[in-house]
Amino acid sequence: MNDSPQDEAKKVAARRAARAIDALRRGWLIGVKANGEILNLLPVETGDLDSSLADKDQVSLLISASRADTLKLLNQLAAADPLLPVQITLDGPVTAEEVIAIVDPVLDMRHPMKGPFRSEALNNPVAAKAAMELARHGGLLPAFIITDGPAEDLVMASDVAAYADSSALIMSAHAKLPVAANANAHIYGFRSDADATDHIALVVGERDDSTPVVRLHSECLTGDVLGSLKCDCGPQLHSALDQMSEAKWGVLLYLRQEGRGIGLINKLRAYALQDQGFDTVDANQRLGFAIDARDFGIAARMLELLGIANVKLLTNNPEKVEGLERCGIAVEERLPVKIAANPHNEFYLDTKRDRTGHKL
């Protein structure tokens, strides 16, 4: 069946966004278009800064609002839109080391003195916000050098929403997968043509007409695989599988949204900030990201494809309940996941309780 013109337009938009994200990860210059104007940007983290900064009398940077706040720069439009990025200008000559010190909060203790620089009016606010979101999807620090171009890849600001469209997700593979918690288990793979991220669902036990016990588990390499003691992710994962096995049946949705959606490298940066005394909430914000950037619409789409409309949700996070219900999944009951704290994650668990509303 042929796609409708609207569906085809979404696919084209998603592809443009995907190419732009790939370009950013490779350090290439991109152009973000909004309101008929193009904002040409070079990613600070991956771009060739030495070439870009050479012989420049002035250098303009685009940084996140939260990073600007840390640098004591006032965003004049913050009252209207606190997520609006901030554009700053530095007088040359400027080195790559100086730029990186400005944008990376992990280096603040090593480079406490920065500047002088000044805030400037944003050239293209809509494009600037879209660029911040593209950086997050790419797992990069949200910081760019504003250049004259020409860009190697052009993306429309509106394309970002198409890239994150969970409706593009499809079921791509299925197999039996006996696991330690229950030998009667099946694994389902999900893929989207909007991005390159694959998600999986593990159906545990014998499916029947009863409401399944469901766990939305965001990928955590350090906790799930390496046994990190800094979080409770690994123990929560295995506890959830055990609780599903004790029920008639259950579903583990393993979502590839590392670090609450900011990516593995940025999560490690957040760990470094925690080592400096910041809690998990402040660490994410200092990096320029939301406290929680996950998209629970992906989980809802996976359940829809599995033919599941009602769930008993294993979670301590009320936002997961609200996220699923907003997407049309009925949460009949919230089941707590009780994990004992250890000396390494006690403060982390307290922060989740006190600052993000987690509860047993």
Side-chain angles (χ1 to χ4, degrees):
M1 187 172 67
N2 293 330
D3 291 329
S4 68
Q6 293 83 358
D7 289 338
E8 186 58 35
K10 276 186 179 180
K11 286 185 177 181
V12 172
R15 288 167 189 155
R16 278 196 301 260
R19 285 194 293 268
I21 291 167
D22 182 63
L24 292 179
R25 289 181 62 86
R26 295 171 187 271
W28 297 345
L29 181 68
I30 69 165
V32 184
K33 187 173 183 179
N35 301 321
E37 297 182 354
I38 297 175
L39 185 63
N40 292 310
L41 301 167
L42 183 75
V44 169
E45 181 174 345
T46 55
D48 183 354
L49 301 188
D50 290 325
S51 296
S52 179
L53 297 171
D55 303 321
K56 291 288 180 63
D57 294 329
Q58 285 189 336
V59 176
S60 291
L61 296 180
L62 190 66
I63 60 176
S64 69
S66 58
R67 182 59 181 156
D69 183 59
T70 300
L71 296 173
K72 308 304 180 186
L73 295 170
L74 179 63
N75 177 2
Q76 298 291 346
L77 301 178
D81 188 350
L83 299 180
L84 198 64
V86 172
Q87 181 175 325
I88 63 174
T89 297
L90 301 83
D91 292 326
V94 180
T95 67
E97 183 181 15
E98 289 171 330
V99 169
I100 293 171
I102 289 171
V103 306
D104 189 349
V106 176
L107 302 177
D108 283 348
M109 296 183 72
R110 192 185 310 171
H111 301 284
M113 302 300 291
K114 300 179 179 67
F117 36 69
R118 56 189 177 275
S119 299
E120 302 284 357
L122 273 176
N123 292 336
N124 192 329
V126 175
K129 285 185 69 173
M132 295 289 117
E133 192 64 9
L134 289 170
R136 183 186 70 79
H137 283 302
L140 304 177
L141 281 172
F144 299 90
I145 293 176
I146 300 174
T147 74
D148 297 328
E152 300 186 38
D153 286 89
L154 180 66
V155 62
M156 308 301 167
S158 57
D159 292 341
V160 180
Y163 180 83
D165 184 7
S166 60
S167 67
L169 205 67
I170 60 172
M171 188 184 297
S172 299
H174 164 232
K176 292 181 180 179
L177 184 69
V179 296
N182 193 322
N184 183 17
H186 291 73
I187 190 168
Y188 297 81
F190 299 83
R191 175 172 289 169
S192 169
D193 62 4
D195 65 44
T197 304
D198 300 331
H199 307 273
I200 66 104
L202 186 71
V203 177
V204 176
E206 195 66 40
R207 180 168 180 167
D208 59 20
D209 292 333
S210 64
T211 302
V213 173
V214 172
R215 167 72 181 169
L216 275 58
H217 190 88
S218 298
E219 178 182 34
C220 178
L221 174 70
T222 49
D224 298 342
V225 178
L226 302 178
S228 167
L229 299 177
K230 286 177 67 72
C231 64
D232 57 345
C233 300
Q236 280 199 346
L237 172 63
H238 296 290
S239 175
L241 288 171
D242 289 339
Q243 288 180 256
M244 290 174 195
S245 294
E246 293 168 1
K248 290 186 177 180
W249 68 294
V251 182
L252 171 74
L253 301 181
Y254 198 82
L255 308 172
R256 305 293 298 281
Q257 300 184 9
E258 183 84 50
R260 299 198 197 100
I262 68 174
L264 177 61
I265 301 302
N266 283 321
K267 185 177 83 168
L268 300 185
R269 291 188 175 109
Y271 279 177
L273 287 170
Q274 290 169 33
D275 291 341
Q276 295 177 15
F278 298 99
D279 66 27
T280 182
V281 169
D282 288 336
N284 273 29
Q285 291 181 314
R286 287 181 74 88
L287 285 167
F289 300 109
I291 297 171
D292 193 334
R294 289 174 291 184
D295 178 6
F296 297 124
I298 292 172
R301 173 63 176 164
M302 293 167 70
L303 290 170
E304 177 188 348
L305 292 171
L306 289 167
I308 298 171
N310 296 65
V311 302
K312 295 179 180 178
L313 192 62
L314 272 170
T315 186
N316 301 333
N317 185 356
E319 287 192 7
K320 288 185 178 179
V321 176
E322 296 168 5
L324 282 186
E325 290 184 332
R326 278 196 303 268
C327 296
I329 301 297
V331 179
E332 294 182 0
E333 185 180 0
R334 184 187 70 83
L335 305 174
V337 185
K338 299 180 180 180
I339 301 298
N342 67 60
H344 302 278
N345 69 13
E346 188 173 12
F347 179 57
Y348 169 77
L349 297 179
D350 289 345
T351 300
K352 290 207 297 184
R353 179 196 64 208
D354 298 337
R355 301 198 64 185
T356 62
H358 284 58
K359 55 187 177 182
L360 294 178

